[in-house]
Amino acid sequence: MERKQRTYQIVCVIAGFFLYGVAALTGQSEDIVSNGYLERGDYGEDPRIYDLLVEGILEEPIDYQAQVRPIQYKKEKADQVFDKVAEELEDQMRGKNPSLSEIRFDLELPDKVSQYGVSILWESENPDILDSFGRIQIEDCPEKGVETAINAVLTTGNYKRNVVFPLRIYPRSFTPEEKLTAFLQKQIELEDSQNPTEKKVALPTEYKGKILHYKEKKDKDYRLFPVFGCLAAFLLYAREKKREEDVKKERKQKLLLDYADVVYQLMVFTRAGLTVGRAWERIVLNYETRRKSKRYESRPVYEEMVKTFQEMQCGQPEGKAIMEFGKRCQLQSYLKLTTLLEQNRRTGAKNLQQVLEQEMISAWEQQKNVARRMGEEAGTKLLLPLFLMLFVVMVLVMTPAMMAMA
């Protein structure tokens, strides 16, 4: 673990130097003195500001901030640009209107044409009819329309041009939704003013020969329900995964706790002169007897031993069945035990008792460590109830004091 952490530290240091080198190379400023020029911005851009270090006169370099205006058109070029902008504006500013000679909706007036670097200032000739933002102000416009105009002051660099756009404003064309809204507003206002003493205000029942139906709009958004459904499905999946992990963790703890007992029984029966196979059989029979008398709960390790004993009875070789038992337990201690038993069976070693006694010592130490860890986990789980009880006690103590102060 310490070696791995040291590796991470070295990688962090190397990455820091690498990033510093990349930043130094990419952030290195251009030697403008050798170049001799400051580049201007494009047409219509803001002035560019350069932070310079001037060297060569004094011992220390001097900080100087230079501001350079953007490039500007010549007079002939500016006139050509103004002509193009004026032509394009006529289509752009009319918005939803068919033409400038038939205005029924608000205009769309841009304040800048970035393509040519031209700024635009709009001035209405009659703000009571159309304001400088292109919004129609006249309410009762005659059917024949009203003539007006709007001026566009085009500016680029030191050159300006005033372009006048003649307009003709007609009564606004309302959409079906806008017509229905205006009708409802007029009818409800009329009903409200005519019957101010009535508790209820009657709604219009029909519009252009069609029956109207009303529903109260509620500020509820039901689109969250599918989100909650997906979240619940995810939580259920996570709960099932957590349950599976808890089952595996509980099984592992039981296997670790029972390891010392299994080693002890094997040591006792083999010391009594039984072979490993016969000792295995006696352990299984004792377990089944206790299970039938309901004095002993189901234990994973003994269930695996029962399965191994059944495999032996069905003709599977003893060594192979025991090795499969260790693999099913999926713990290093059981794999070690089955390896020792298999080696003893193959070589006929006479020191099996000594090996089991040594394994018994380490098994007891392992069992104590598992029990200690389980106790620490139980203590950690009790912290939350303790804090909740402390909070309740603080509330009970502080509430009377706060009420007395009030």
Side-chain angles (χ1 to χ4, degrees):
M1 186 65 182
E2 183 179 355
R3 181 178 180 182
K4 187 176 182 180
Q5 184 176 359
R6 190 179 297 110
T7 303
Y8 287 155
Q9 293 173 343
I10 295 174
V11 171
C12 291
V13 173
I14 295 175
F17 281 102
F18 174 76
L19 293 175
Y20 169 76
V22 173
L25 291 175
T26 57
Q28 189 175 8
S29 59
E30 183 182 359
D31 188 2
I32 299 181
V33 174
S34 61
N35 191 345
Y37 297 96
L38 296 177
E39 187 175 355
R40 295 182 181 273
D42 204 355
Y43 299 104
E45 290 186 358
D46 296 329
R48 289 190 177 181
I49 298 176
Y50 293 89
D51 292 322
L52 308 177
L53 288 175
V54 183
E55 300 175 345
I57 301 298
L58 302 177
E59 294 182 358
E60 297 292 333
I62 301 175
D63 294 333
Y64 175 70
Q65 190 176 76
Q67 180 173 322
V68 181
R69 293 184 298 171
I71 189 172
Q72 298 184 14
Y73 293 109
K74 295 182 179 179
K75 182 65 172 63
E76 298 79 6
K77 184 65 175 178
D79 291 335
Q80 295 177 6
V81 169
F82 286 150
D83 293 338
K84 290 181 180 179
V85 171
E87 292 177 3
E88 295 180 3
L89 274 180
E90 187 169 350
D91 290 332
Q92 185 176 354
M93 62 187 290
R94 62 187 177 88
K96 296 186 292 184
N97 300 288
S99 66
L100 297 182
S101 59
E102 186 182 350
I103 303 298
R104 298 182 183 273
F105 301 95
D106 294 342
L107 300 178
E108 297 179 2
L109 306 180
D111 58 359
K112 189 174 184 180
V113 182
S114 302
Q115 180 182 358
Y116 301 106
V118 176
S119 301
I120 307 173
L121 178 63
W122 298 92
E123 298 176 355
S124 175
E125 290 189 356
N126 194 339
D128 294 333
I129 299 177
L130 184 80
D131 63 15
S132 298
F133 296 97
R135 297 175 298 199
I136 299 175
Q137 300 298 316
I138 186 171
E139 294 183 359
D140 299 326
C141 184
E143 292 293 334
K144 63 179 181 179
V146 177
E147 291 186 355
T148 185
I150 190 168
N151 300 329
V153 181
L154 310 181
T155 305
T156 177
N158 297 324
Y159 302 104
K160 292 185 179 181
R161 177 184 289 187
N162 186 28
V163 182
V164 180
F165 294 95
L167 307 172
R168 191 171 187 87
I169 311 296
Y170 284 90
R172 182 176 176 181
S173 297
F174 293 97
T175 62
E177 292 81 4
E178 292 174 335
K179 292 180 180 179
L180 177 58
T181 302
F183 167 76
L184 293 175
Q185 182 178 357
K186 183 177 180 181
Q187 292 297 319
I188 293 175
E189 289 178 355
L190 180 63
E191 181 70 20
D192 185 33
S193 61
Q194 288 180 349
N195 303 298
T197 59
E198 297 292 334
K199 188 176 181 180
K200 297 181 179 179
V201 178
L203 294 171
T205 57
E206 63 177 273
Y207 174 71
K208 292 185 178 181
K210 295 183 179 180
I211 304 299
L212 297 177
H213 302 277
Y214 301 92
K215 290 182 179 180
E216 186 178 0
K217 184 178 180 181
K218 298 185 180 295
D219 296 332
K220 293 182 179 180
D221 192 356
Y222 299 103
R223 291 175 294 181
L224 289 176
F225 286 123
V227 178
F228 290 149
C230 295
L231 180 61
F234 173 76
L235 292 177
L236 289 175
Y237 171 77
R239 178 188 175 188
E240 189 63 28
K241 295 293 290 185
K242 180 67 167 55
R243 184 178 298 174
E244 293 177 1
E245 292 177 0
D246 291 342
V247 170
K248 291 180 180 179
K249 182 178 179 181
E250 183 181 3
R251 180 178 183 272
K252 180 179 179 181
Q253 287 181 344
K254 288 183 177 180
L255 287 171
L256 291 173
L257 290 173
D258 290 337
Y259 179 67
D261 187 44
V262 172
V263 175
Y264 176 75
Q265 292 185 67
L266 286 173
M267 182 180 66
V268 170
F269 285 127
T270 54
R271 181 177 293 176
L274 298 179
T275 62
V276 173
R278 296 289 297 172
W280 198 282
E281 180 181 358
R282 290 295 300 273
I283 294 173
V284 170
L285 293 177
N286 290 339
Y287 168 73
E288 290 182 339
T289 301
R290 292 194 297 268
R291 286 285 291 139
K292 290 179 180 179
S293 62
K294 298 182 180 180
R295 292 184 293 112
Y296 200 75
E297 65 176 359
S298 177
R299 306 294 291 183
V301 62
Y302 292 112
E303 294 295 333
E304 294 295 341
M305 292 184 73
V306 170
K307 184 177 180 180
T308 301
F309 178 66
Q310 292 174 350
E311 291 175 351
M312 293 179 185
Q313 288 183 324
C314 292
Q316 188 172 359
E318 178 181 313
K320 183 178 180 181
I322 292 177
M323 293 301 294
E324 291 294 329
F325 162 79
K327 293 179 181 178
R328 289 196 302 270
C329 291
Q330 297 179 345
L331 291 177
Q332 186 64 33
S333 54
Y334 284 95
L335 290 173
K336 179 181 178 182
L337 176 63
T338 54
T339 302
L340 292 175
L341 295 177
E342 175 63 14
Q343 288 177 352
N344 175 77
R345 190 188 66 82
R346 288 183 177 181
T347 60
K350 298 181 180 180
N351 60 345
L352 178 61
Q353 290 299 316
Q354 183 179 358
V355 171
L356 289 177
E357 287 178 0
Q358 294 176 353
E359 187 65 21
M360 184 66 196
I361 296 173
S362 63
W364 281 117
E365 290 296 327
Q366 176 180 278
Q367 189 178 46
K368 288 191 291 184
N369 293 333
V370 173
R372 187 184 301 111
R373 185 167 61 250
M374 292 175 63
E376 293 173 354
E377 292 177 356
T380 304
K381 292 178 181 178
L382 291 175
L383 288 178
L384 180 60
L386 289 175
F387 279 117
L388 291 177
M389 293 176 62
L390 177 62
F391 176 75
V392 171
V393 172
M394 291 178 63
V395 171
L396 294 176
V397 172
M398 294 178 63
T399 300
M402 297 295 293
M403 293 177 65
M405 292 176 60

